[in-house]
Amino acid sequence: MRSNQTERVSEMKMADKTVIVTGAGGGMGKAIVRKLLGEGATVAGIDLKDEAMAELKHERFLPFAASILDEKVIERVFSEMHEKTGRIDGLVNAAGIAQSATPIDDVSLDDWHRLIDINATSLFITAKQAARYMKPAGKGSIITIASVSATRPRPGLQSYIASKGAAESFTRALAIELAESGVRANTIHPGPADTGMLSQFTAKGADSEQARKEIFESSVPLGRLIQPEDIAGGVLYLLSDDASMVTGTTLHIDGGRGL
Ligand SMILES: NC(=O)c1ccc[n+]([C@@H]2O[C@H](COP(=O)([O-])OP(=O)(O)OC[C@H]3O[C@@H](n4cnc5c(N)ncnc54)[C@H](O)[C@@H]3O)[C@@H](O)[C@H]2O)c1
């Protein structure tokens, strides 16, 4: 290896590390996977969208087309990655679904259960596997992408916001429980982000392009939507040794929306 290549590898924050990313085919998920691959990690992606994950083709990327609610498959992803690389350093929970702004009168119990299952119950399933491998290793980092809406709600998103509040509380609970094993757990609260999900938050029948400008963009004090790369930068920090004393915290990457 030439010396400038050696230098680059030694500068990489995730060289030889193994990370599992849910929602890897989504807007934020893809940016997170690309960032981690660029920093030398081996990455397993889990998403329902096989084709979106195919865009990430890389010798160190392993896609698993599955639901995050399928406990057996999640168990298999962790065990295969551990068998292959001998380690599980990080879990990034980025999968999720939106709720279109709807008054509670028109939200069914099934709608509520679906949001809570995918955005919150799934975290129990993935974190349980992460703990299984990280605790004996005495290290690891778990990151959950929740939402600034958990602290700064918008009308009509009651079920989504409840799921994201649960995500943050669950992650804090993991942080205290796993601290004695050297495992860290942190939440990221994105503000309105420029991904396919954003238009799904508008009320049914509303003009999503108008909502994007008038509701979402204008609600960010720093004046623009959050880009997936903004989130990927925060994920890299929380996974890396730079954050070795950071646990139980919530990093707002929201352009000031939470203020
Ligand atoms: N976009 C925003 O404005 C915004 C704001 C705050 C928080 N968030 C959160 O950020 C995270 C990433 O969202 P995004 O903006 O990249 O949206 P996205 O829709 O682009 O990505 C979400 C991904 O999750 C996957 N997914 C959904 N259900 C799944 C399941 N059961 N099993 C496996 N995969 C599943 C989808 O296929 C999709 O690829 C989500 O948790 C979201 O709630 C988004």
Side-chain angles (χ1 to χ4, degrees):
M1 196 184 282
R2 290 200 312 271
S3 67
N4 59 348
Q5 281 177 318
T6 316
E7 268 166 36
R8 173 67 191 124
V9 169
S10 67
E11 280 167 18
M12 286 183 177
K13 289 188 184 299
M14 300 299 295
D16 300 328
K17 295 199 174 174
T18 301
V19 184
I20 290 161
V21 179
T22 76
M28 290 183 202
K30 280 194 278 196
I32 292 165
V33 171
R34 287 195 177 109
K35 174 70 105 186
L36 299 180
L37 290 172
E39 291 293 332
T42 297
V43 183
I46 307 170
D47 201 299
L48 294 169
K49 292 184 191 157
D50 215 356
E51 283 168 22
M53 286 194 293
E55 292 169 30
L56 296 165
K57 202 169 165 31
H58 191 286
E59 56 185 358
R60 282 183 277 107
F61 178 65
L62 290 94
F64 293 83
S67 169
I68 41 169
L69 290 172
D70 190 334
E71 194 177 9
K72 286 270 165 292
V73 177
I74 301 302
E75 211 178 306
R76 183 165 62 77
V77 174
F78 277 80
S79 72
E80 275 187 23
M81 292 308 288
H82 191 261
E83 215 165 280
K84 185 178 163 59
T85 66
R87 53 197 297 161
I88 305 287
D89 299 280
L91 163 65
V92 184
N93 292 305
I97 54 168
Q99 173 178 20
S100 66
T102 314
I104 189 165
D105 326 57
D106 297 329
V107 178
S108 70
L109 189 56
D110 282 347
D111 296 336
W112 163 271
H113 280 310
R114 186 160 177 269
L115 278 150
I116 298 293
D117 273 356
I118 295 175
N119 291 353
T121 307
S122 67
L123 305 176
F124 171 81
I125 296 172
T126 54
K128 189 168 171 168
Q129 292 306 313
R132 182 172 162 190
Y133 293 97
M134 290 176 183
K135 279 169 76 171
K139 59 184 175 182
S141 173
I142 298 171
I143 298 164
T144 298
I145 311 291
S147 168
V148 69
S149 64
T151 54
R152 190 92 200 277
R154 290 182 196 277
L157 301 184
Q158 71 304 110
S159 312
Y160 177 81
I161 291 168
S163 73
K164 293 302 188 179
E168 184 179 25
S169 298
F170 176 66
T171 307
R172 282 168 54 79
L174 284 178
I176 195 66
E177 180 175 330
L178 301 178
E180 65 175 16
S181 306
V183 178
R184 301 182 292 107
N186 292 287
T187 304
I188 290 178
H189 274 352
D194 196 5
T195 71
M197 184 179 280
L198 191 63
S199 60
Q200 297 167 30
F201 287 111
T202 43
K204 285 204 176 81
D207 180 339
S208 59
E209 209 30 59
Q210 192 183 4
R212 180 189 160 93
K213 283 259 170 243
E214 290 175 12
I215 302 180
F216 297 116
E217 218 170 282
S218 69
S219 73
V220 180
L222 284 179
R224 67 161 171 84
L225 293 176
I226 313 312
Q227 293 302 314
E229 292 70 25
D230 297 321
I231 304 300
V235 166
L236 175 63
Y237 165 67
L238 290 171
L239 283 175
S240 76
D241 293 341
D242 290 344
S244 60
M245 285 305 283
V246 181
T247 196
T249 196
T250 298
L251 178 59
H252 281 247
I253 304 182
D254 64 1
R257 162 71 190 156
L259 297 170

